Amino acid sequence: MLALRLTRGSHPAVQLRRLLVAVASAGTGFLLLCTLGYAMGHPDSPAAAALRLGWCATPLAATVYFAVAVARTDPATRPRPGLSAIGLGPGRLMAISATTTALACTLGSMLALLFFLHLRGDLTGMPFDGAAAEFLASDQPLPLPAALTLLALVPLTASVAVALALRPRDLRPASEKGPARSYGRFGVQGRPDRRETFGAYGRFGAHLRAGTRGGGPEAEPAEQPAQTEQSEGAHPTAHDPSRPPAPREAPRGLPWGIAVLAAGLAVEAYANRTRDGGGLSLPGGLADGPASVLAGWVLTAIGLALAGPGLTHLCGRLLQSVGPGALRLLAGRVLMEEATRIGRPLGVVCAVASGGFAMTALYDADAPAFGPLTTLGLLLVTGCTVATLLTAALEAKHARADTTAALLRLGAPATMLRSAAALRAGALLALFLPLTLFVAELAALPLAGR
């Protein structure tokens, strides 16, 4: 009930993002139901039905990724002073986020089921003169348990992913966490590992001073300082609002991302030399090729996603090189600060764009046009990844709202802030666009017969 009340009383922009999650869930659920209909209509082709189900994994992953991004920017579940006193601690807020995500995805799944039943003719008769009967199996009864199982994949996976992404974590450095603690009988009372001398406990409040130096629970005063309320869109796991943010170090995923990307390209090159292996039937009139091409594409996408934060941080560092002015310094520092938040969605968009460019280059003009299901899958993956990137950019904007307000109070012109934003966008485009084209060209080589 609390999750429903928070959902109903949210800002219209937040409601729009949740509605987009429901739409993405509806599209993915419809693809899964169409796969079930194809398996029912073609019982003699289990391999083709399994391959169609495997292709649904990409829209499912994109939908879950978008749902996690929307849950991170939900202002209804950010910590506020006094919420822990009424039982709304970090764990409870995480559960509310997971429940809200499950509600939005369940709504989309139910819409997909209603539309699928309408197309089958179970509700109002067969529409479109039966043109979609191939993947609907309208002449057979629909197995409801199998349909509900497929529809439950999106809400269950999305809610579990949100719970794992927003789980409470102690973000303090190891030097501030204090010594390890041992617990008394039945775990009721904790005590520090260091033994105190006789009379030290009651002498001039020495237990408070010792606890403060050790960082134990005894050091915590009765009244906690009020936390600075975060701006809309920032999630408590992003930073600790009770302290000023420390300078962030460079993301450590760039070497791993480059290694995985190189491994994916090597697998694709090896697949080009061994074209006598198992065939891979690509959707929508694309060329067939070895099955290892799919593994190479997956490794390439993972490598770009891992390398995205490091490349964004590198882009910000390059902006500040060779005697930077105030504009370049501001743009570069923002890119370095937001490298992790923006870099990973940007790497995923780069991977999707390179895959789309490779598919376009491999399209056979003599083959039939893309089918409706292939078009829907491409729209889902592209739309979810782009929406995730825009959501991450909005989260970054709200996270640095205090910094922007401080710059305006100090007399910085608004045109300089807009110029810095344009400079950041141009720098990212100049780095990621050639990388996308290069990876797409290499990804298309194994199936192009060059």
Side-chain angles (χ1 to χ4, degrees):
M1 293 300 297
L2 181 59
L4 288 175
R5 290 180 180 179
L6 291 176
T7 302
R8 184 182 59 183
S10 299
H11 193 270
V14 180
Q15 300 284 19
L16 178 60
R17 292 197 290 268
R18 292 171 180 166
L19 181 61
L20 291 178
V21 171
V23 171
S25 176
T28 305
F30 182 75
L31 288 178
L32 292 172
L33 290 178
C34 290
T35 302
L36 175 62
Y38 182 86
M40 293 169 54
H42 301 79
D44 55 342
S45 303
L51 183 59
R52 286 174 176 263
L53 185 61
W55 283 114
C56 293
T58 303
L60 176 62
T63 302
V64 172
Y65 190 52
F66 178 48
V68 172
V70 171
R72 289 179 60 89
T73 58
D74 193 349
T77 56
R78 70 173 183 262
R80 296 181 181 90
L83 286 183
S84 297
I86 60 175
L88 292 180
R92 184 72 179 274
L93 292 178
M94 176 268 294
I96 292 176
S97 296
T99 305
T100 304
T101 302
L103 290 175
C105 294
T106 303
L107 175 61
S109 297
M110 293 299 102
L111 292 177
L113 179 60
L114 291 177
F115 187 67
F116 184 76
L117 293 177
H118 173 69
L119 291 182
R120 278 174 50 90
D122 295 338
L123 299 179
T124 58
M126 177 65 68
F128 306 123
D129 297 330
E134 179 183 359
F135 54 86
L136 296 178
S138 56
D139 55 342
Q140 302 181 23
L142 181 66
L144 192 58
L148 294 180
T149 300
L150 289 177
L151 289 177
L153 286 178
V154 180
L156 182 61
T157 308
S159 58
V160 171
V162 169
L164 292 177
L166 305 185
R167 67 187 184 276
R169 288 185 290 253
D170 191 0
L171 300 181
R172 294 179 302 169
S175 59
E176 299 181 9
K177 292 182 180 180
R181 299 186 57 82
S182 58
Y183 293 90
R185 185 173 301 171
F186 305 111
V188 174
Q189 183 179 4
R191 58 180 183 271
D193 291 338
R194 180 176 57 85
R195 305 289 295 181
E196 295 178 348
T197 60
F198 178 76
Y201 184 83
R203 187 182 302 127
F204 304 109
H207 62 288
L208 292 178
R209 294 194 298 270
T212 304
R213 289 192 298 268
E218 293 88 350
E220 298 180 0
E223 296 292 335
Q224 295 290 341
Q227 295 181 351
T228 304
E229 184 172 347
Q230 299 178 7
S231 57
E232 178 181 340
H235 195 271
T237 58
H239 61 279
D240 187 359
S242 62
R243 297 190 309 272
R248 297 189 178 184
E249 60 181 6
R252 301 178 180 178
L254 183 58
W256 288 102
I258 295 177
V260 175
L261 177 61
L265 295 177
V267 169
E268 295 175 7
Y270 178 77
N272 189 26
R273 298 180 58 183
T274 58
R275 302 185 65 90
D276 53 347
L280 173 66
S281 178
L282 299 180
L286 300 179
D288 294 342
S292 55
V293 172
L294 178 60
W297 282 5
V298 171
L299 289 176
T300 301
I302 295 176
L304 288 174
L306 291 177
L311 292 176
T312 305
H313 191 275
L314 177 62
C315 187
R317 186 176 293 276
L318 291 178
L319 276 178
Q320 304 175 71
S321 60
V322 195
L327 183 62
R328 289 170 52 196
L329 187 63
L330 178 61
R333 286 295 176 86
V334 171
L335 278 183
M336 292 175 64
E337 181 68 21
E338 305 295 338
T340 303
R341 183 180 285 115
I342 299 179
R344 186 163 288 112
L346 189 58
V348 173
V349 170
C350 180
V352 172
S354 62
F357 183 83
M359 292 177 65
T360 304
L362 294 173
Y363 180 72
D364 190 2
D366 298 333
F370 286 166
L373 298 183
T374 303
T375 304
L376 177 60
L378 293 177
L379 290 178
L380 274 176
V381 174
T382 305
C384 287
T385 51
V386 174
T388 303
L389 177 60
L390 296 178
T391 304
L394 181 63
E395 180 187 4
K397 178 182 178 181
H398 288 309
R400 63 174 183 271
D402 295 338
T403 304
T404 303
L407 289 175
L408 292 176
R409 287 195 303 268
L410 291 175
T415 55
M416 187 185 72
L417 298 180
R418 290 193 292 267
S419 300
L423 182 59
R424 293 195 301 269
L428 291 176
L429 189 64
L431 177 63
F432 280 91
L433 183 59
L435 177 64
T436 302
L437 296 178
F438 176 74
V439 172
E441 187 68 22
L442 292 181
L445 286 178
L447 300 180
R450 300 175 186 176

